[in-house]
């Protein structure tokens, strides 16, 4: 029996570091793109404003010292502005420091927002490119949480990578140099030890906290996923009286989040106390040196005040460093998950140089097609089928025979494992997915509608459709009169997933949407199996209109819906076992006849 491999803490840390550098490399181009040029100009102007603000900031304590020495009678009044003038200069310098910082933020804001928007769009587009296999195995709630956290981290990471870490060390270096130049090496040593100890302590504890934060994120993602999953299945929860069960599942996830959040809070308290202790120790050490200097007459009172001002000026960015480093590490973790998603390859993609599908009649050919969702579980085993242009061919069979799989392969949600699937002689793998999808209209078993108006849902069939075209599609789907009977007509909201409409009404809206698309090929995938017999009869008329002048593949379990098809193909265990018209197959007394007799008996019994 093979043992599960568990990565060591060092391996996890190395992987995190590599992931962090990868994230930085992915984000950095948003700071310096080739186009548009204005982004680079804004970054340069923001850096200039940053440098000016830091330069003024390190001069503020010098002005403060001169003012104190003048007031104490230790300054040379003829060489300075005087106490009042120096005090005004001190105030102006502080205002200018803040002013240039805010100018920097204002200049950079558009760069950060543009990066956030661009990355959010890239992620959204990429998710839609991913295969059906990825989406049916992914938890939607967890996926949305990863995207939300990752996108929010973009602007923060860009801003603080550019304006916090580098500028912080620049300011510390400038202050250290001034202390060494104006005083002696002991001051520099005290400052250096304080900074070194603080940085080491902050980084070590923060790395520990990042692991705790990741655990908290995992629990948060799980709780959010359970909440969304439960709400999406609201009816099912009600059917089984499972409100308390769902609440218990959600509460269990939140309990895990609570434990992780408490660990994070306790570790933050430890970090803050440790940082405060180190900063205070360094501050006291430097102030003691300055006090000794004043007592001995080597330093003035202004020098003592200046040293204190510089130490406070150091402690502020150092405290900020702790927060910034924590947030940057967390942003790297959050964005790392999002970039993992962006690096998820699309299982189905266009071939280089793929051309648009040209539909002449809509003839479909399956040539010895083999496919399985898993390598160990084949679904289709050497299917060969020709559907002539304009024909209506039905595919029937028992559950699990592979009927719906053929529809998914036709739409190229998956690629075949063997053989080929062609439309008018063109292999679907050799044409662009966009042109393939434009040529096929699908009416699924359960039409899912957007939580918007009936007009929006029908108009979704073709971008830019006019009101007349929308209403004509609704008439063809035999739902226009129903819509007009509603108080708000076409502006009626359908609710999430169309829950405010009945099953038949939803199907007719779906048919209208497909009719508006006006595709040459129509795929009816169990389009009436979820409807009662009376509603099915009403929908059949709408489907018959939708099929006029088109190549139609009807995938059905209920045989009464396909009796009038030009040809019926019977699948069993991924193979074609019979083929012919309804009358031929019934007369043959084979598998189709058995299915027909069984369904007729069940219908009579009902």
């Amino acid at each position: 029996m093979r043992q599960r491999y568990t990565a060591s803490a060092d391996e996890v840390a190395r992987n995190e570091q590599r992931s962090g550098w990868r994230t930085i490399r992915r984000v950095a181009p948003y700071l310096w793109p080739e186009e548009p040029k204005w982004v680079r100009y804004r970054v340069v102007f923001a850096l200039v404003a940053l440098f000016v603000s830091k330069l003024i900031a390190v001069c503020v304590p010098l002005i403060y010292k001169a003012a104190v020495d003048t007031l104490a009678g230790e300054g040379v009044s003829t060489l300075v502005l005087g106490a009042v003038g120096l005090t005004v200069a001190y105030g102006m310098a502080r205002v200018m420091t803040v002013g240039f910082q805010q100018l920097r933020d204002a200049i950079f804001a558009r760069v950060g927002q543009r990066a956030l928007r661009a990355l959010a769009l890239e992620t959204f587009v990429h998710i839609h490119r991913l295969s059906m296999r990825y989406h049916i195995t992914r938890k939607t709630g967890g996926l949305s949480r990863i995207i939300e956290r990752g996108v929010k981290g973009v602007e923060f990471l860009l801003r603080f990578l550019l304006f916090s870490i580098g500028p912080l060390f620049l300011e510390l270096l400038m202050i250290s140099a001034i202390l060494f130049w104006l005083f002696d090496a002991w001051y520099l040593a005290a400052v250096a030890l304080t900074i070194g100890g603080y940085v080491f302590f902050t980084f070590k504890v923060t790395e520990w906290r990042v692991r705790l934060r990741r655990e908290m994120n995992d629990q948060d993602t799980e709780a959010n996923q359970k909440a969304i999953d439960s709400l999406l299945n609201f009816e099912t929860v009600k059917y089984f009286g499972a409100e308390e069960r769902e609440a218990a599942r959600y509460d269990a996830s939140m309990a895990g989040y609570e434990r992780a959040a408490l660990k994070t809070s306790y570790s933050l308290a430890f970090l803050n106390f440790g940082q405060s202790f180190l900063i205070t120790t360094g501050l006291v050490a430097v102030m003691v040196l300055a006090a000794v200097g004043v007592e001995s007459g080597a330093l003035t009172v202004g020098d003592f005040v200046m040293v204190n001002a510089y130490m406070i000026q150091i402690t502020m960015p150092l405290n900020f460093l702790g927060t910034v480093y924590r947030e940057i590490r967390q942003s790297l973790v959050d964005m790392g998950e999002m970039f993992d998603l962006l690096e998820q390859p699309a299982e189905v993609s266009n071939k280089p140089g793929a051309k648009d599908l040209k539909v002449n009649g809509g003839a479909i050919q399956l040539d010895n097609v083999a496919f399985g969702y898993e390598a160990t579980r084949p679904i289709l085993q050497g299917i060969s089928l020709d559907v002539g242009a304009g024909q209506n061919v039905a595919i029937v069979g028992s559950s699990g025979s592979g009927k719906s799989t053929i529809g998914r392969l036709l739409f190229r949600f998956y690629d075949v494992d063997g053989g080929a699937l062609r439309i008018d002689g063109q292999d679907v793998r050799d044409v662009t997915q966009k042109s393939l999808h434009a040529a096929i209209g699908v009416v699924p078993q359960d039409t899912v509608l957007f939580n918007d108006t009936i007009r929006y849902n029908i108009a979704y069939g073709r971008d830019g459709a006019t009101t007349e075209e929308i209403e004509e599609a609704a008439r063809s789907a035999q739902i226009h009169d129903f819509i007009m009977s509603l108080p708000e007509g076409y502006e009626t909201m359908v609710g999430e997933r169309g829950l405010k409409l009945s099953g038949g009404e939803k199907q007719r809206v779906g048919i209208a949407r497909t009719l508006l698309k006006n595709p040459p090929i129509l795929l009816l995938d169990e389009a009436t199996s979820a409807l009662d017999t009376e509603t099915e009869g009403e929908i059949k008329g709408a489907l018959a209109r939708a099929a006029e002048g088109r190549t139609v593949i009807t995938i059905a379990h209920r045989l009464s819906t396909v009796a009038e098809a030009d040809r019926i193909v019977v699948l069993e265990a991924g193979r074609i076992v019979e083929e012919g018209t309804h009358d031929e197959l019934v007369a043959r007394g084979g598998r189709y006849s058995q299915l027909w007799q069984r369904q007729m008996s069940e219908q009579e019994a009902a």
Side-chain angles (χ1 to χ4, degrees):
M1 180 177 177
R2 294 181 61 184
Q3 293 182 339
R4 173 182 282 184
Y5 172 73
T6 304
S8 67
D10 290 340
E11 287 177 299
V12 172
R14 285 194 295 270
N15 290 334
E16 288 177 356
Q17 188 176 29
R18 284 194 294 269
S19 178
W21 282 115
R22 176 203 63 174
T23 301
I24 292 173
R25 287 194 301 271
R26 289 291 303 270
V27 172
Y30 290 99
L31 283 174
W32 204 253
E34 292 293 332
E35 294 294 339
K37 296 293 185 185
W38 62 261
V39 176
R40 293 186 175 187
Y41 297 148
R42 280 181 172 268
V43 172
V44 170
F45 291 147
L47 288 173
V48 169
L50 168 68
F51 180 77
V52 173
S53 71
K54 293 299 180 186
L55 192 61
I56 296 173
V58 296
C59 292
V60 169
L62 293 172
I63 300 173
Y64 195 22
K65 161 189 159 50
V68 171
D69 281 343
T70 301
L71 289 170
E74 298 178 353
V76 184
S77 59
T78 57
L79 299 178
V80 295
L81 300 174
V84 175
L86 287 169
T87 303
V88 172
Y90 168 77
M92 289 180 62
R94 289 182 63 88
V95 169
M96 290 175 66
T97 299
V98 175
F100 277 104
Q101 287 175 350
Q102 296 305 313
L103 177 63
R104 172 204 71 188
D105 289 345
I107 293 172
F108 187 76
R110 192 177 175 194
V111 177
Q113 289 298 323
R114 176 189 176 275
L116 186 151
R117 175 184 171 190
L119 191 53
L121 178 62
E122 180 184 350
T123 307
F124 183 80
V125 170
H126 179 73
I127 289 172
H128 276 286
R129 286 185 182 142
L130 292 177
S131 66
M132 174 70 79
R133 194 190 309 272
Y134 177 85
H135 281 281
I136 63 177
T137 57
R138 191 73 192 185
K139 297 177 179 178
T140 305
L143 186 64
S144 65
R145 209 63 159 190
I146 288 172
I147 298 169
E148 178 187 352
R149 287 197 301 253
V151 169
K152 282 183 178 179
V154 175
E155 186 188 13
F156 181 89
L157 190 63
L158 286 174
R159 180 188 299 277
F160 288 102
L161 278 177
L162 189 64
F163 296 142
S164 294
I165 301 299
L168 168 60
F169 284 103
L170 173 64
E171 184 175 6
L172 294 176
L173 183 62
M174 292 169 67
I175 291 174
S176 299
I178 290 174
L179 291 176
F180 177 72
W181 177 54
L182 292 179
F183 303 105
D184 58 43
W186 288 107
Y187 289 86
L188 179 59
V191 170
L193 285 173
T194 300
I195 294 173
Y198 183 97
V199 170
F200 177 81
F201 175 79
T202 298
F203 284 13
K204 281 295 183 181
V205 176
T206 301
E207 289 298 326
W208 168 52
R209 293 195 69 247
V210 164
R211 289 193 289 272
L212 296 177
R213 184 63 181 265
R214 184 179 290 105
E215 179 187 348
M216 188 176 75
N217 277 355
D218 291 342
Q219 294 292 343
D220 177 47
T221 299
E222 181 182 347
N224 187 66
Q225 183 272 324
K226 280 186 170 57
I228 290 180
D229 194 37
S230 180
L231 292 173
L232 288 176
N233 291 281
F234 172 80
E235 289 183 75
T236 305
V237 173
K238 289 293 183 184
Y239 291 154
F240 294 92
E243 293 91 342
E244 293 182 3
R245 196 187 318 165
E246 289 297 311
R249 289 179 70 229
Y250 180 69
D251 188 56
S253 296
M254 288 304 296
Y257 175 79
E258 179 185 20
R259 288 190 294 271
L262 285 174
K263 290 180 184 178
T264 304
S265 297
Y266 297 154
S267 64
L268 177 60
F270 173 69
L271 176 62
N272 289 339
F273 176 78
Q275 289 174 334
S276 178
F277 175 78
L278 290 170
I279 286 291
T280 303
T281 301
L283 175 63
V284 170
V286 172
M287 295 309 296
V288 166
L289 289 173
V292 171
V294 173
E295 284 186 345
S296 66
L299 299 179
T300 65
V301 174
D303 290 323
F304 181 86
V305 172
M306 181 181 69
V307 169
N308 181 67
Y310 273 128
M311 287 305 296
I312 292 174
Q313 198 161 314
I314 286 174
T315 60
M316 290 174 61
L318 278 179
N319 281 326
F320 191 56
L321 171 66
T323 302
V324 168
Y325 182 70
R326 288 196 302 272
E327 293 300 326
I328 285 179
R329 287 292 287 114
Q330 183 54 43
S331 294
L332 289 174
V333 169
D334 292 342
M335 294 181 68
E337 293 177 337
M338 186 173 69
F339 284 125
D340 287 341
L341 176 63
L342 282 172
E343 291 177 1
Q344 181 75 27
E347 182 181 337
V348 177
S349 57
N350 291 335
K351 279 186 176 180
K355 297 181 179 179
D356 287 346
L357 175 68
K358 291 182 171 56
V359 181
N360 300 318
I364 300 169
Q365 180 187 33
L366 280 75
D367 183 6
N368 197 31
V369 168
F371 175 77
Y373 296 106
E374 300 172 6
T376 57
R377 183 175 165 237
I379 301 297
L380 300 180
Q381 305 180 57
I383 296 289
S384 292
L385 174 66
D386 289 321
V387 180
Q391 279 192 336
N392 183 343
V393 174
I395 301 174
V396 302
S398 55
S399 297
S401 60
K403 306 185 299 296
S404 294
T405 298
I406 291 177
R408 295 189 182 107
L409 293 175
L410 177 64
F411 210 74
R412 209 184 166 205
F413 281 141
Y414 304 91
D415 278 334
V416 299
D417 296 332
L421 197 160
R422 303 183 183 92
I423 296 177
D424 285 334
Q426 304 157 82
D427 194 312
V428 296
R429 292 169 293 188
D430 296 333
V431 300
T432 62
Q433 294 180 72
K434 184 175 181 180
S435 64
L436 174 65
H437 296 166
I440 303 172
V442 181
V443 181
Q445 175 180 356
D446 180 21
T447 297
V448 177
L449 304 181
F450 292 94
N451 188 8
D452 210 303
T453 64
I454 293 177
R455 180 185 303 281
Y456 176 86
N457 278 283
I458 295 177
Y460 203 79
R462 188 172 76 243
D463 192 26
T466 65
T467 298
E468 291 74 17
E469 291 169 334
I470 293 170
E471 292 182 1
E472 180 56 35
R475 287 189 180 93
S476 298
Q478 300 175 7
I479 196 173
H480 174 74
D481 292 340
F482 164 74
I483 295 172
M484 296 306 295
S485 70
L486 299 173
E488 297 181 39
Y490 280 85
E491 304 308 315
T492 301
M493 297 294 292
V494 302
E496 190 165 345
R497 299 175 65 86
L499 290 177
K500 291 183 179 180
L501 301 180
S502 70
E505 290 157 1
K506 282 170 57 179
Q507 285 298 81
R508 279 193 280 260
V509 169
I511 293 169
R513 183 163 62 186
T514 302
L515 286 171
L516 185 62
K517 183 179 181 180
N518 195 28
I521 298 170
L522 185 62
L523 174 64
L524 306 177
D525 188 0
E526 305 274 13
T528 62
S529 64
L531 306 176
D532 59 74
T533 304
E534 183 177 351
T535 306
E536 177 195 354
E538 297 172 355
I539 294 294
K540 282 178 67 176
L543 291 175
R545 290 197 180 195
E548 292 176 0
R550 295 182 171 86
T551 301
V552 181
I553 291 182
T554 303
I555 296 167
H557 175 73
R558 190 179 292 175
L559 302 185
S560 59
T561 62
V562 300
E564 299 175 5
D566 298 329
R567 194 159 90 259
I568 299 172
V569 176
V570 184
L571 285 186
E572 279 298 321
R575 290 186 172 90
I576 296 177
V577 294
E578 285 184 311
E579 192 172 346
T581 65
H582 171 74
D583 292 337
E584 291 171 349
L585 293 174
V586 170
R588 192 175 300 171
R591 180 58 178 160
Y592 180 85
S593 179
Q594 293 174 2
L595 293 172
W596 176 260
Q597 296 298 333
R598 183 187 305 167
Q599 289 192 12
M600 289 302 99
S601 298
E602 291 173 353
Q603 186 173 333
E604 289 175 5

